[in-house]
mmCIF file of all heavy atoms in Angstrom:
data_model
loop_
_atom_site.group_PDB
_atom_site.id
_atom_site.type_symbol
_atom_site.label_atom_id
_atom_site.label_comp_id
_atom_site.label_asym_id
_atom_site.label_seq_id
_atom_site.Cartn_x
_atom_site.Cartn_y
_atom_site.Cartn_z
ATOM 1 N N MET M 1 0.835 -1.218 0.001
ATOM 2 C CA MET M 1 -0.012 -0.009 -0.001
ATOM 3 C C MET M 1 0.901 1.236 0.020
ATOM 4 O O MET M 1 1.885 1.267 0.679
ATOM 5 C CB MET M 1 -0.893 -0.003 1.235
ATOM 6 C CG MET M 1 -2.222 0.706 0.971
ATOM 7 S SD MET M 1 -3.328 0.527 2.409
ATOM 8 C CE MET M 1 -2.836 1.964 3.357
ATOM 9 N N ASN M 5 2.322 11.560 0.995
ATOM 10 C CA ASN M 5 2.849 12.570 1.834
ATOM 11 C C ASN M 5 1.820 13.252 2.697
ATOM 12 O O ASN M 5 2.110 13.521 3.838
ATOM 13 C CB ASN M 5 3.546 13.618 0.962
ATOM 14 C CG ASN M 5 5.064 13.493 0.949
ATOM 15 O OD1 ASN M 5 5.607 12.837 1.875
ATOM 16 N ND2 ASN M 5 5.786 14.091 -0.011
ATOM 17 N N ARG M 10 -0.904 14.610 7.660
ATOM 18 C CA ARG M 10 -2.094 14.653 8.531
ATOM 19 C C ARG M 10 -1.828 14.116 9.894
ATOM 20 O O ARG M 10 -2.330 14.609 10.891
ATOM 21 C CB ARG M 10 -3.252 13.898 7.851
ATOM 22 C CG ARG M 10 -4.386 14.886 7.416
ATOM 23 C CD ARG M 10 -5.572 14.081 7.028
ATOM 24 N NE ARG M 10 -5.407 13.350 5.792
ATOM 25 C CZ ARG M 10 -5.625 13.822 4.570
ATOM 26 N NH1 ARG M 10 -6.051 15.079 4.423
ATOM 27 N NH2 ARG M 10 -5.492 13.137 3.472
ATOM 28 N N VAL M 11 -1.060 12.991 9.934
ATOM 29 C CA VAL M 11 -0.700 12.432 11.220
ATOM 30 C C VAL M 11 0.132 13.418 12.035
ATOM 31 O O VAL M 11 -0.152 13.655 13.243
ATOM 32 C CB VAL M 11 0.067 11.113 10.971
ATOM 33 C CG1 VAL M 11 0.540 10.581 12.351
ATOM 34 C CG2 VAL M 11 -0.827 10.058 10.315
ATOM 35 N N TYR M 20 -0.083 26.607 8.816
ATOM 36 C CA TYR M 20 -0.703 27.297 7.703
ATOM 37 C C TYR M 20 0.151 28.435 7.184
ATOM 38 O O TYR M 20 0.792 29.219 7.884
ATOM 39 C CB TYR M 20 -2.009 27.858 8.167
ATOM 40 C CG TYR M 20 -3.084 26.847 8.461
ATOM 41 C CD1 TYR M 20 -3.639 26.735 9.733
ATOM 42 C CD2 TYR M 20 -3.529 25.986 7.415
ATOM 43 C CE1 TYR M 20 -4.576 25.797 10.006
ATOM 44 C CE2 TYR M 20 -4.425 25.049 7.737
ATOM 45 C CZ TYR M 20 -5.048 24.905 8.968
ATOM 46 O OH TYR M 20 -5.961 23.928 9.251
ATOM 47 N N VAL M 26 -7.856 37.021 -0.794
ATOM 48 C CA VAL M 26 -9.105 37.177 -1.549
ATOM 49 C C VAL M 26 -9.545 38.596 -1.482
ATOM 50 O O VAL M 26 -9.693 39.234 -2.518
ATOM 51 C CB VAL M 26 -10.201 36.203 -0.989
ATOM 52 C CG1 VAL M 26 -11.498 36.408 -1.721
ATOM 53 C CG2 VAL M 26 -9.700 34.832 -1.086
ATOM 54 N N GLN M 34 -3.090 27.478 3.372
ATOM 55 C CA GLN M 34 -2.857 26.068 3.102
ATOM 56 C C GLN M 34 -1.770 25.535 4.122
ATOM 57 O O GLN M 34 -0.776 26.248 4.391
ATOM 58 C CB GLN M 34 -2.408 25.803 1.637
ATOM 59 C CG GLN M 34 -2.380 24.302 1.388
ATOM 60 C CD GLN M 34 -2.044 24.006 -0.126
ATOM 61 O OE1 GLN M 34 -1.114 24.586 -0.632
ATOM 62 N NE2 GLN M 34 -2.776 23.147 -0.725
ATOM 63 N N GLY M 48 -14.013 36.916 10.318
ATOM 64 C CA GLY M 48 -12.658 36.737 10.686
ATOM 65 C C GLY M 48 -12.376 35.378 11.335
ATOM 66 O O GLY M 48 -11.318 35.157 11.903
ATOM 67 N N MET M 50 -11.767 31.144 11.117
ATOM 68 C CA MET M 50 -11.263 30.189 10.154
ATOM 69 C C MET M 50 -12.304 29.126 9.853
ATOM 70 O O MET M 50 -13.005 28.670 10.702
ATOM 71 C CB MET M 50 -10.042 29.509 10.835
ATOM 72 C CG MET M 50 -8.804 30.371 11.020
ATOM 73 S SD MET M 50 -7.916 30.640 9.488
ATOM 74 C CE MET M 50 -6.581 29.449 9.648
ATOM 75 N N THR M 63 -15.734 34.608 -6.448
ATOM 76 C CA THR M 63 -16.664 35.618 -6.758
ATOM 77 C C THR M 63 -16.272 36.952 -6.025
ATOM 78 O O THR M 63 -16.204 38.014 -6.573
ATOM 79 C CB THR M 63 -18.108 35.247 -6.432
ATOM 80 O OG1 THR M 63 -18.342 33.969 -6.994
ATOM 81 C CG2 THR M 63 -19.108 36.240 -6.972
ATOM 82 N N LYS M 66 -13.272 38.568 -7.445
ATOM 83 C CA LYS M 66 -13.613 39.231 -8.705
ATOM 84 C C LYS M 66 -14.103 40.644 -8.410
ATOM 85 O O LYS M 66 -13.687 41.661 -8.998
ATOM 86 C CB LYS M 66 -14.565 38.415 -9.511
ATOM 87 C CG LYS M 66 -14.047 38.138 -10.940
ATOM 88 C CD LYS M 66 -15.018 37.188 -11.672
ATOM 89 C CE LYS M 66 -14.724 35.768 -11.447
ATOM 90 N NZ LYS M 66 -15.770 34.881 -12.092
ATOM 91 N N PHE M 67 -15.119 40.701 -7.486
ATOM 92 C CA PHE M 67 -15.662 41.964 -7.147
ATOM 93 C C PHE M 67 -14.641 42.929 -6.562
ATOM 94 O O PHE M 67 -14.615 44.104 -6.879
ATOM 95 C CB PHE M 67 -16.816 41.770 -6.105
ATOM 96 C CG PHE M 67 -18.101 41.459 -6.811
ATOM 97 C CD1 PHE M 67 -18.758 40.213 -6.554
ATOM 98 C CD2 PHE M 67 -18.794 42.358 -7.594
ATOM 99 C CE1 PHE M 67 -19.906 39.934 -7.172
ATOM 100 C CE2 PHE M 67 -20.023 42.058 -8.163
ATOM 101 C CZ PHE M 67 -20.609 40.801 -7.953
ATOM 102 N N SER M 81 -7.636 59.959 -11.804
ATOM 103 C CA SER M 81 -8.270 61.068 -12.489
ATOM 104 C C SER M 81 -8.331 62.285 -11.601
ATOM 105 O O SER M 81 -8.387 63.376 -12.071
ATOM 106 C CB SER M 81 -9.615 60.694 -13.125
ATOM 107 O OG SER M 81 -10.396 60.044 -12.103
#
Side-chain angles (χ1 to χ4, degrees):
M1 208 175 92
N5 256 343
R10 248 191 289 273
V11 175
Y20 291 120
V26 180
Q34 189 176 46
M50 291 282 262
T63 311
K66 234 177 270 175
F67 276 115
S81 49

